[in-house]
Coordinates of all heavy atoms in Angstrom, one line a residue:
M1 N 0.8 -1.2 -0.1 CA 0.0 -0.1 0.0 C 0.9 1.3 0.0 O 1.8 1.3 0.7 CB -0.9 0.0 1.2 CG -1.9 1.1 1.2 SD -3.3 0.9 2.4 CE -2.7 1.7 3.8
R2 N 0.4 2.2 -0.8 CA 1.3 3.5 -0.9 C 1.1 4.2 0.4 O 0.0 4.3 0.9 CB 0.9 4.4 -2.0 CG 1.1 3.6 -3.3 CD 0.6 4.4 -4.5 NE 0.7 6.0 -4.4 CZ 1.0 6.9 -5.3 NH1 0.8 6.3 -6.5 NH2 1.3 8.1 -5.2
S3 N 2.2 4.8 0.9 CA 2.2 5.7 2.2 C 1.4 6.9 2.1 O 1.0 7.5 3.2 CB 3.6 5.8 2.7 OG 4.3 6.6 1.8
D4 N 1.2 7.4 0.9 CA 0.5 8.7 0.8 C -1.1 8.7 0.7 O -1.7 9.6 0.6 CB 1.1 9.7 -0.3 CG 0.9 8.8 -1.6 OD1 0.9 7.7 -1.7 OD2 0.9 9.6 -2.7
I5 N -1.5 7.3 0.7 CA -2.9 7.2 0.6 C -3.5 6.8 2.0 O -3.0 5.8 2.6 CB -3.3 6.0 -0.4 CG1 -2.7 6.2 -1.9 CG2 -4.7 5.7 -0.5 CD1 -3.3 7.5 -2.5
R6 N -4.3 7.7 2.5 CA -4.8 7.5 3.8 C -6.3 7.5 3.8 O -6.9 8.1 3.0 CB -4.2 8.5 4.8 CG -2.8 8.5 5.0 CD -2.3 9.6 5.8 NE -1.9 10.7 4.9 CZ -1.7 11.9 5.3 NH1 -1.9 12.3 6.5 NH2 -1.3 12.8 4.4
P7 N -6.9 7.0 4.9 CA -8.4 7.1 5.1 C -8.8 8.5 5.2 O -7.9 9.3 5.7 CB -8.7 6.2 6.3 CG -7.5 5.8 7.0 CD -6.4 6.2 5.9
P8 N -9.9 8.9 4.9 CA -10.4 10.2 5.1 C -10.3 10.6 6.6 O -10.6 9.8 7.5 CB -11.9 10.3 4.7 CG -12.2 8.8 4.3 CD -11.1 8.0 4.4
R9 N -10.2 12.0 6.9 CA -10.3 12.3 8.3 C -11.6 12.0 8.8 O -12.6 12.3 8.2 CB -10.0 13.9 8.4 CG -8.6 14.1 8.1 CD -8.3 15.7 8.1 NE -8.6 16.1 6.8 CZ -8.6 17.4 6.4 NH1 -8.4 18.3 7.2 NH2 -9.0 17.7 5.2
G10 N -11.8 11.4 10.1 CA -12.9 11.0 10.6 C -13.3 9.5 10.2 O -14.4 9.0 10.6
G11 N -12.5 9.0 9.3 CA -12.7 7.7 8.9 C -13.8 7.3 7.8 O -14.4 8.4 7.3
F12 N -14.0 6.2 7.4 CA -15.0 6.0 6.4 C -16.3 5.8 7.2 O -16.4 4.8 8.1 CB -14.7 4.6 5.7 CG -13.4 4.8 4.8 CD1 -12.3 4.3 5.1 CD2 -13.6 5.4 3.5 CE1 -11.1 4.4 4.3 CE2 -12.5 5.4 2.7 CZ -11.3 4.9 3.1
T13 N -17.3 6.6 6.9 CA -18.6 6.5 7.6 C -19.8 6.5 6.6 O -19.6 7.1 5.6 CB -18.7 7.6 8.5 OG1 -18.6 8.9 7.8 CG2 -17.8 7.5 9.6
G14 N -20.8 5.9 7.0 CA -22.1 5.9 6.2 C -22.7 7.2 6.1 O -22.5 8.1 6.8
P15 N -23.8 7.2 5.2 CA -24.6 8.4 5.1 C -25.3 8.8 6.4 O -25.6 7.9 7.2 CB -25.6 8.1 4.0 CG -25.1 6.9 3.3 CD -24.3 6.2 4.4
V16 N -25.5 10.1 6.6 CA -26.2 10.6 7.7 C -27.5 11.4 6.9 O -27.3 12.2 6.2 CB -25.5 11.6 8.6 CG1 -26.2 12.4 9.6 CG2 -24.2 10.9 9.2
K17 N -28.6 11.1 7.7 CA -29.8 11.8 7.0 C -30.1 13.0 7.8 O -30.1 13.1 8.9 CB -31.1 10.8 7.2 CG -32.3 11.4 6.4 CD -33.4 10.4 6.7 CE -33.3 9.4 5.5 NZ -34.5 8.5 5.3
R18 N -30.3 14.1 7.0 CA -30.7 15.4 7.5 C -32.0 16.0 6.9 O -32.0 15.7 5.7 CB -29.6 16.4 7.5 CG -28.4 16.1 8.4 CD -27.2 17.0 8.4 NE -27.4 18.3 8.4 CZ -26.2 19.2 8.3 NH1 -25.0 18.8 8.2 NH2 -26.6 20.5 8.3
S19 N -32.7 16.7 7.5 CA -33.9 17.3 6.9 C -33.4 18.7 6.5 O -32.8 19.5 7.3 CB -35.0 17.3 8.0 OG -35.5 16.1 8.2
I20 N -34.0 19.1 5.5 CA -33.7 20.5 4.9 C -34.9 21.0 4.2 O -35.6 20.2 3.5 CB -32.3 20.5 3.9 CG1 -31.8 21.8 3.7 CG2 -32.6 19.8 2.7 CD1 -30.4 22.0 3.2
T21 N -35.1 22.3 4.1 CA -36.2 22.9 3.4 C -35.8 23.5 2.1 O -34.9 24.2 2.0 CB -36.9 23.9 4.2 OG1 -37.5 23.4 5.4 CG2 -38.1 24.5 3.4
I22 N -36.4 22.9 1.0 CA -36.1 23.4 -0.4 C -37.3 24.0 -1.0 O -38.3 23.2 -1.1 CB -35.5 22.2 -1.3 CG1 -34.4 21.5 -0.7 CG2 -35.2 22.7 -2.7 CD1 -33.9 20.3 -1.4
A23 N -37.3 25.2 -1.4 CA -38.4 25.9 -1.9 C -39.7 25.7 -1.1 O -40.8 25.5 -1.7 CB -38.6 25.4 -3.4
G24 N -39.6 25.8 0.1 CA -40.6 25.8 1.0 C -41.2 24.4 1.3 O -42.1 24.2 2.1
H25 N -40.4 23.3 0.9 CA -40.9 21.9 1.1 C -39.7 21.2 1.9 O -38.7 21.1 1.4 CB -41.1 21.2 -0.2 CG -42.1 21.8 -0.9 ND1 -43.5 21.7 -0.7 CD2 -42.2 22.6 -2.2 CE1 -44.2 22.4 -1.6 NE2 -43.3 22.9 -2.6
P26 N -40.1 20.6 3.0 CA -39.1 19.8 3.7 C -38.7 18.5 3.1 O -39.6 17.9 2.4 CB -39.8 19.5 5.1 CG -41.3 19.6 4.9 CD -41.4 20.6 3.7
T27 N -37.5 18.2 3.0 CA -37.1 16.9 2.3 C -35.9 16.3 3.3 O -35.2 17.2 4.0 CB -36.7 17.1 0.9 OG1 -36.3 16.0 0.3 CG2 -35.4 18.0 0.9
S28 N -35.7 15.2 3.1 CA -34.6 14.5 3.8 C -33.4 14.1 2.7 O -33.8 13.7 1.6 CB -35.0 13.2 4.4 OG -36.0 13.4 5.3
I29 N -32.2 14.4 3.1 CA -31.0 14.0 2.3 C -30.2 13.3 3.0 O -29.9 13.7 4.2 CB -30.5 15.3 1.8 CG1 -31.4 16.3 1.0 CG2 -29.2 15.1 0.8 CD1 -30.9 17.7 0.7
S30 N -29.6 12.2 2.5 CA -28.6 11.3 3.1 C -27.3 11.6 2.4 O -27.2 11.2 1.2 CB -29.0 9.9 3.1 OG -30.1 9.6 3.8
L31 N -26.3 12.0 3.2 CA -24.9 12.3 2.7 C -24.0 11.8 3.8 O -24.2 11.9 5.0 CB -24.7 13.7 2.4 CG -25.4 14.3 1.2 CD1 -25.1 15.9 1.2 CD2 -25.1 13.7 -0.1
E32 N -22.8 11.4 3.3 CA -21.8 11.1 4.2 C -21.2 12.4 4.9 O -21.4 13.5 4.4 CB -20.6 10.5 3.5 CG -20.8 9.1 3.0 CD -21.7 9.1 1.7 OE1 -21.9 10.2 1.2 OE2 -22.0 7.9 1.2
P33 N -20.9 12.2 6.2 CA -20.5 13.5 7.0 C -19.4 14.4 6.3 O -19.6 15.5 6.3 CB -19.8 13.0 8.2 CG -20.6 11.6 8.5 CD -20.8 11.0 7.1
L34 N -18.6 13.8 5.5 CA -17.6 14.7 4.8 C -18.3 15.5 3.7 O -17.8 16.7 3.4 CB -16.6 13.6 4.1 CG -15.4 14.2 3.5 CD1 -14.5 14.9 4.7 CD2 -14.5 13.1 2.8
F35 N -19.3 14.9 3.1 CA -20.1 15.7 2.1 C -20.9 16.8 2.8 O -21.0 17.8 2.2 CB -20.9 14.8 1.2 CG -20.1 14.0 0.2 CD1 -19.9 12.7 0.3 CD2 -19.6 14.7 -1.0 CE1 -19.0 12.0 -0.7 CE2 -19.0 14.0 -1.9 CZ -18.6 12.7 -1.8
W36 N -21.5 16.5 4.0 CA -22.1 17.6 4.7 C -21.2 18.7 5.0 O -21.6 19.8 4.8 CB -22.8 17.0 5.9 CG -24.0 16.3 5.8 CD1 -24.4 15.0 5.9 CD2 -25.3 16.8 5.1 NE1 -25.7 14.7 5.5 CE2 -26.2 15.8 5.0 CE3 -25.6 18.1 4.6 CZ2 -27.6 16.0 4.6 CZ3 -26.9 18.3 4.2 CH2 -27.9 17.2 4.0
K37 N -20.0 18.3 5.4 CA -19.0 19.4 5.8 C -18.6 20.2 4.5 O -18.5 21.4 4.6 CB -17.8 18.8 6.5 CG -16.9 19.8 6.8 CD -15.7 19.1 7.5 CE -14.6 20.1 7.9 NZ -13.5 19.6 8.8
A38 N -18.4 19.5 3.5 CA -18.1 20.2 2.2 C -19.3 21.1 1.7 O -19.0 22.2 1.2 CB -17.7 19.2 1.2
L39 N -20.5 20.6 1.8 CA -21.5 21.3 1.4 C -21.8 22.6 2.3 O -22.0 23.8 1.8 CB -22.9 20.5 1.5 CG -24.0 21.1 0.8 CD1 -23.8 21.2 -0.7 CD2 -25.1 20.0 1.0
E40 N -21.5 22.5 3.6 CA -21.5 23.7 4.4 C -20.5 24.6 4.0 O -20.7 25.9 4.1 CB -21.4 23.3 5.9 CG -22.7 22.4 6.4 CD -22.4 21.7 7.6 OE1 -21.2 21.6 8.2 OE2 -23.4 21.2 8.2
Q41 N -19.3 24.2 3.8 CA -18.2 25.1 3.3 C -18.4 25.6 2.0 O -18.1 26.9 1.8 CB -16.8 24.2 3.3 CG -16.3 23.9 4.7 CD -15.1 23.0 4.6 OE1 -14.8 22.5 3.6 NE2 -14.4 23.0 5.7
A42 N -19.1 25.0 1.1 CA -19.5 25.6 -0.2 C -20.5 26.5 -0.1 O -20.3 27.7 -0.7 CB -19.8 24.5 -1.1
A43 N -21.3 26.5 0.9 CA -22.4 27.5 1.1 C -21.7 28.8 1.7 O -22.1 29.9 1.2 CB -23.4 27.0 2.2
V44 N -20.7 28.6 2.4 CA -20.0 29.8 2.9 C -19.3 30.5 1.8 O -19.3 31.7 1.5 CB -19.0 29.5 4.1 CG1 -18.1 30.7 4.3 CG2 -19.8 29.0 5.3
V45 N -18.6 29.7 1.0 CA -17.8 30.3 -0.2 C -18.7 31.0 -1.1 O -18.3 32.0 -1.6 CB -17.0 29.0 -0.9 CG1 -16.4 29.5 -2.2 CG2 -15.9 28.5 0.0
H46 N -19.8 30.4 -1.5 CA -20.8 31.0 -2.3 C -21.8 32.0 -1.6 O -22.7 32.6 -2.3 CB -21.6 29.9 -3.0 CG -20.8 29.0 -4.0 ND1 -20.6 29.5 -5.3 CD2 -20.2 27.9 -3.7 CE1 -19.8 28.6 -5.8 NE2 -19.6 27.6 -4.9
Q47 N -21.5 32.3 -0.4 CA -22.3 33.2 0.4 C -23.8 33.1 0.3 O -24.6 33.9 0.1 CB -22.0 34.7 -0.1 CG -20.5 35.0 0.1 CD -20.1 36.3 -0.5 OE1 -20.9 37.1 -1.0 NE2 -18.8 36.8 -0.1
L48 N -24.2 31.8 0.5 CA -25.6 31.4 0.6 C -25.9 30.5 1.8 O -25.0 29.7 2.3 CB -25.9 30.5 -0.6 CG -25.9 31.1 -2.0 CD1 -25.9 30.0 -3.1 CD2 -27.0 32.1 -2.2
P49 N -27.1 30.6 2.4 CA -27.5 29.7 3.3 C -27.4 28.3 2.7 O -27.6 28.1 1.6 CB -28.9 30.1 3.8 CG -29.1 31.4 3.2 CD -28.2 31.6 2.0
L50 N -27.2 27.3 3.7 CA -27.1 26.0 3.1 C -28.3 25.6 2.3 O -28.3 24.9 1.2 CB -26.9 25.0 4.3 CG -26.8 23.5 4.0 CD1 -25.6 23.2 3.1 CD2 -26.7 22.6 5.3
S51 N -29.5 25.8 2.8 CA -30.7 25.5 2.1 C -30.9 26.2 0.8 O -31.4 25.5 -0.1 CB -31.9 25.8 3.0 OG -32.1 27.2 3.2
A52 N -30.3 27.4 0.7 CA -30.4 28.1 -0.6 C -29.5 27.5 -1.6 O -29.9 27.3 -2.8 CB -30.1 29.5 -0.4
L53 N -28.3 27.0 -1.2 CA -27.3 26.5 -2.1 C -28.0 25.1 -2.6 O -27.9 24.8 -3.7 CB -26.0 26.1 -1.4 CG -25.0 25.4 -2.3 CD1 -24.7 26.2 -3.5 CD2 -23.8 25.1 -1.4
V54 N -28.5 24.2 -1.6 CA -29.2 23.0 -2.1 C -30.2 23.3 -3.0 O -30.4 22.5 -4.1 CB -29.6 22.3 -0.8 CG1 -30.4 21.0 -1.2 CG2 -28.3 21.8 0.0
A55 N -31.1 24.2 -2.7 CA -32.2 24.6 -3.7 C -31.8 25.0 -5.0 O -32.3 24.6 -6.0 CB -33.1 25.7 -3.0
E56 N -30.5 25.8 -5.1 CA -30.0 26.2 -6.4 C -29.5 24.8 -7.2 O -29.7 24.8 -8.4 CB -29.0 27.2 -6.2 CG -29.7 28.5 -5.8 CD -28.7 29.7 -6.2 OE1 -27.9 29.6 -7.0 OE2 -28.9 30.7 -5.5
I57 N -28.8 24.0 -6.6 CA -28.4 22.8 -7.2 C -29.5 21.9 -7.5 O -29.4 21.4 -8.6 CB -27.5 22.0 -6.1 CG1 -26.1 22.8 -5.9 CG2 -27.1 20.7 -6.8 CD1 -25.2 22.5 -4.6
D58 N -30.5 21.9 -6.7 CA -31.7 21.2 -7.2 C -32.3 21.6 -8.4 O -32.8 21.0 -9.2 CB -32.7 21.0 -6.0 CG -33.9 20.1 -6.1 OD1 -33.7 18.9 -6.6 OD2 -35.0 20.5 -5.9
A59 N -32.5 23.1 -8.5 CA -33.2 23.6 -9.5 C -32.4 23.3 -10.8 O -33.0 23.1 -11.9 CB -33.2 25.2 -9.4
V60 N -31.1 23.3 -10.8 CA -30.1 23.0 -12.0 C -30.4 21.5 -12.3 O -30.4 21.1 -13.4 CB -28.7 23.3 -11.7 CG1 -27.8 22.9 -12.9 CG2 -28.7 24.8 -11.5
R61 N -30.4 20.7 -11.2 CA -30.5 19.2 -11.4 C -31.8 18.9 -12.1 O -31.8 18.0 -13.0 CB -30.5 18.5 -10.1 CG -30.9 17.1 -10.0 CD -31.0 16.6 -8.7 NE -32.2 16.9 -8.1 CZ -33.4 16.1 -8.0 NH1 -33.4 15.0 -8.7 NH2 -34.5 16.6 -7.5
I62 N -33.0 19.4 -11.8 CA -34.2 18.8 -12.2 C -34.5 19.2 -13.7 O -35.5 18.7 -14.4 CB -35.4 19.3 -11.4 CG1 -35.5 20.8 -11.4 CG2 -35.3 18.7 -10.0 CD1 -36.8 21.3 -10.7
V63 N -33.8 20.0 -14.3 CA -33.9 20.4 -15.8 C -33.1 19.7 -16.8 O -33.3 19.8 -18.0 CB -33.8 22.0 -15.9 CG1 -34.7 22.8 -15.1 CG2 -32.3 22.5 -15.7
V64 N -32.1 18.9 -16.2 CA -31.3 18.0 -17.1 C -32.1 16.8 -17.5 O -33.0 16.3 -16.7 CB -29.9 17.6 -16.5 CG1 -29.1 18.9 -16.1 CG2 -30.0 16.8 -15.3
P65 N -31.8 16.3 -18.6 CA -32.4 15.0 -19.0 C -32.0 13.8 -18.0 O -31.0 13.8 -17.7 CB -31.7 14.6 -20.4 CG -31.3 16.0 -20.9 CD -30.9 16.8 -19.7
D66 N -33.0 13.1 -17.6 CA -32.8 12.0 -16.7 C -32.0 12.4 -15.4 O -31.0 11.9 -15.3 CB -32.0 10.8 -17.4 CG -32.1 9.5 -16.7 OD1 -33.0 9.4 -15.8 OD2 -31.2 8.7 -16.9
P67 N -32.6 13.2 -14.7 CA -31.8 13.8 -13.6 C -31.6 12.8 -12.5 O -32.4 11.9 -12.3 CB -32.8 14.9 -12.9 CG -34.1 14.6 -13.5 CD -33.9 13.8 -14.8
P68 N -30.3 12.8 -11.8 CA -30.0 11.9 -10.8 C -30.8 12.3 -9.5 O -31.4 13.3 -9.5 CB -28.6 12.2 -10.6 CG -28.3 13.7 -10.9 CD -29.3 13.9 -12.0
N69 N -30.7 11.4 -8.6 CA -31.3 11.9 -7.2 C -30.6 12.9 -6.6 O -29.5 13.4 -7.0 CB -31.5 10.5 -6.3 CG -30.1 10.1 -5.8 OD1 -29.3 10.8 -5.3 ND2 -29.9 8.8 -6.0
L70 N -31.2 13.5 -5.7 CA -30.6 14.9 -5.1 C -29.3 14.6 -4.5 O -28.3 15.3 -4.6 CB -31.6 15.6 -4.1 CG -31.2 16.8 -3.5 CD1 -30.8 17.8 -4.6 CD2 -32.2 17.3 -2.6
A71 N -29.2 13.5 -3.7 CA -27.8 13.2 -3.0 C -26.8 13.1 -3.9 O -25.6 13.6 -3.8 CB -28.0 12.1 -2.1
S72 N -27.0 12.3 -5.0 CA -25.9 12.1 -6.1 C -25.6 13.5 -6.7 O -24.5 13.6 -7.1 CB -26.5 11.2 -7.3 OG -26.6 9.9 -6.7
A73 N -26.6 14.3 -7.1 CA -26.4 15.6 -7.6 C -25.5 16.5 -6.7 O -24.6 17.2 -7.2 CB -27.8 16.3 -7.9
L74 N -25.8 16.4 -5.4 CA -25.1 17.2 -4.6 C -23.6 16.8 -4.5 O -22.6 17.6 -4.6 CB -25.6 17.1 -3.2 CG -27.0 17.8 -3.0 CD1 -27.6 17.5 -1.7 CD2 -26.8 19.4 -3.2
R75 N -23.4 15.6 -4.5 CA -22.0 15.0 -4.4 C -21.2 15.3 -5.8 O -20.1 15.7 -5.6 CB -22.0 13.4 -4.4 CG -22.3 12.9 -2.9 CD -22.3 11.4 -2.9 NE -22.8 10.8 -1.7 CZ -24.0 10.4 -1.7 NH1 -24.8 10.2 -2.8 NH2 -24.6 9.8 -0.6
T76 N -21.9 15.1 -6.8 CA -21.3 15.6 -8.1 C -21.0 17.0 -8.2 O -19.8 17.4 -8.6 CB -22.2 15.1 -9.2 OG1 -22.4 13.7 -9.2 CG2 -21.6 15.4 -10.6
W77 N -22.0 17.9 -7.8 CA -21.7 19.3 -7.8 C -20.6 19.7 -7.0 O -19.7 20.6 -7.3 CB -23.1 20.0 -7.4 CG -22.8 21.5 -7.5 CD1 -23.2 22.2 -8.6 CD2 -22.3 22.4 -6.5 NE1 -22.7 23.6 -8.3 CE2 -22.2 23.7 -7.0 CE3 -22.0 22.2 -5.2 CZ2 -21.8 24.8 -6.4 CZ3 -21.5 23.3 -4.5 CH2 -21.5 24.5 -5.1
L78 N -20.6 19.1 -5.7 CA -19.4 19.4 -4.8 C -18.1 19.1 -5.4 O -17.1 19.9 -5.3 CB -19.5 18.7 -3.5 CG -20.7 19.3 -2.5 CD1 -21.0 18.3 -1.4 CD2 -20.2 20.6 -1.9
L79 N -17.9 18.0 -6.0 CA -16.6 17.5 -6.5 C -16.2 18.5 -7.7 O -15.1 19.0 -7.8 CB -16.6 16.1 -7.0 CG -15.4 15.6 -7.7 CD1 -14.2 15.7 -6.6 CD2 -15.6 14.1 -8.1
D80 N -17.3 18.8 -8.6 CA -16.9 19.7 -9.6 C -16.7 21.1 -9.2 O -15.7 21.7 -9.8 CB -18.2 19.7 -10.6 CG -18.0 20.5 -11.9 OD1 -17.0 20.1 -12.7 OD2 -18.6 21.5 -12.0
D81 N -17.4 21.6 -8.3 CA -17.0 22.9 -7.7 C -15.7 22.9 -7.1 O -14.9 24.0 -7.3 CB -18.1 23.2 -6.6 CG -18.1 24.6 -6.0 OD1 -18.1 25.6 -7.0 OD2 -17.8 25.0 -4.9
S82 N -15.2 21.9 -6.5 CA -13.9 21.9 -5.9 C -12.9 21.9 -7.0 O -11.7 22.6 -7.0 CB -13.6 20.7 -5.0 OG -14.5 20.8 -3.9
I83 N -13.1 21.1 -8.0 CA -12.1 21.0 -9.0 C -12.1 22.4 -9.9 O -11.0 22.9 -10.2 CB -12.6 19.9 -10.1 CG1 -12.4 18.7 -9.5 CG2 -11.9 20.0 -11.4 CD1 -12.8 17.4 -10.2
R84 N -13.2 23.0 -10.0 CA -13.3 24.4 -10.7 C -12.4 25.4 -9.9 O -11.7 26.1 -10.4 CB -14.7 24.9 -10.9 CG -15.4 24.3 -12.0 CD -16.8 24.8 -12.0 NE -17.7 23.9 -12.9 CZ -18.7 24.4 -13.5 NH1 -19.0 25.7 -13.6 NH2 -19.4 23.5 -14.5
R85 N -12.6 25.4 -8.6 CA -11.9 26.3 -7.7 C -10.4 26.1 -7.8 O -9.5 27.0 -7.8 CB -12.4 26.3 -6.3 CG -13.7 27.1 -6.2 CD -14.3 27.4 -4.8 NE -15.0 26.3 -4.4 CZ -14.9 25.5 -3.2 NH1 -13.9 26.0 -2.4 NH2 -15.5 24.5 -3.0
L86 N -10.1 24.8 -7.8 CA -8.7 24.5 -7.9 C -8.1 24.9 -9.4 O -7.0 25.4 -9.4 CB -8.3 22.8 -7.8 CG -8.5 22.3 -6.4 CD1 -8.5 20.8 -6.4 CD2 -7.4 22.8 -5.5
D87 N -8.9 24.7 -10.4 CA -8.4 25.1 -11.7 C -8.2 26.6 -11.8 O -7.3 27.2 -12.3 CB -9.4 24.6 -12.7 CG -9.3 23.1 -13.0 OD1 -8.4 22.5 -12.6 OD2 -10.4 22.6 -13.5
D88 N -9.3 27.3 -11.1 CA -9.3 28.8 -11.1 C -8.0 29.3 -10.4 O -7.3 30.3 -10.8 CB -10.4 29.4 -10.4 CG -11.7 29.3 -11.4 OD1 -11.5 28.9 -12.6 OD2 -12.9 29.4 -10.8
N89 N -7.7 28.7 -9.3 CA -6.5 29.1 -8.5 C -5.2 28.8 -9.3 O -4.3 29.6 -9.2 CB -6.5 28.3 -7.1 CG -7.5 28.8 -6.1 OD1 -7.9 29.8 -6.2 ND2 -7.8 27.9 -5.1
Q90 N -5.2 27.6 -10.0 CA -3.9 27.3 -10.7 C -3.8 28.3 -11.9 O -2.7 28.7 -12.2 CB -4.2 25.9 -11.3 CG -3.0 25.4 -12.2 CD -1.8 25.3 -11.2 OE1 -1.8 24.9 -10.1 NE2 -0.5 25.6 -11.8
S91 N -4.9 28.7 -12.5 CA -4.8 29.7 -13.6 C -4.4 31.1 -13.1 O -3.6 31.7 -13.8 CB -6.3 29.9 -14.3 OG -6.7 28.7 -14.9
Q92 N -4.8 31.4 -11.9 CA -4.3 32.7 -11.3 C -2.9 32.8 -11.0 O -2.3 33.7 -11.0 CB -5.2 33.1 -10.1 CG -6.6 33.3 -10.4 CD -7.5 33.5 -9.2 OE1 -7.0 33.4 -8.0 NE2 -8.8 33.8 -9.4
Q93 N -2.3 31.5 -10.6 CA -0.8 31.4 -10.4 C 0.0 31.4 -11.7 O 1.2 31.7 -11.5 CB -0.6 30.1 -9.6 CG -1.2 30.3 -8.1 CD -1.1 29.0 -7.4 OE1 -0.4 28.0 -7.9 NE2 -1.6 28.9 -6.2
D94 N -0.5 31.0 -12.8 CA 0.3 30.9 -14.0 C 0.5 32.3 -14.6 O -0.1 33.3 -14.4 CB -0.5 30.1 -15.1 CG -0.5 28.6 -14.6 OD1 0.3 28.2 -13.7 OD2 -1.3 27.9 -15.1

């Protein structure tokens, strides 16, 4: 095993269900704690309340052909948002 590959901080843990209100409707979302933390940090970066960020991602999700479930959309959006910010930082350093 490579020495630079380590388990995530906090270990490998299963999804945690949380209730959130999207567009006035309560819904439950199951995400791993690491994704909840990333989502909370993304809300701060984008200067939105957590529920508003989730609502915006949901609004984008439901208009695509064959939309994924909300939890999958959130995970995908979070990874893509992180990659975009890394790319932007890299471009600014060049």
Side-chain angles (χ1 to χ4, degrees):
M1 186 162 97
R2 293 175 49 152
S3 62
D4 59 336
I5 305 297
R6 292 178 269 165
R9 288 176 275 179
F12 292 102
T13 57
V16 173
K17 187 178 282 196
R18 287 174 53 178
S19 294
I20 193 163
T21 300
I22 302 172
H25 301 285
T27 189
S28 304
I29 304 169
S30 293
L31 293 172
E32 293 75 8
L34 193 60
F35 284 104
W36 280 117
K37 183 176 181 175
L39 195 58
E40 290 163 354
Q41 290 174 342
V44 170
V45 168
H46 290 276
Q47 300 178 351
L48 292 168
L50 180 63
S51 59
L53 177 61
V54 172
E56 289 200 21
I57 295 166
D58 187 47
V60 172
R61 170 189 75 94
I62 61 174
V63 297
V64 301
D66 194 26
N69 67 51
L70 182 55
S72 294
L74 292 170
R75 288 184 193 96
T76 303
W77 184 88
L78 282 166
L79 182 57
D80 184 64
D81 186 60
S82 295
I83 291 169
R84 285 180 195 213
R85 282 190 275 128
L86 287 171
D87 288 347
D88 289 348
N89 288 339
Q90 184 66 34
S91 295
Q92 291 173 2
Q93 291 177 3
D94 292 341

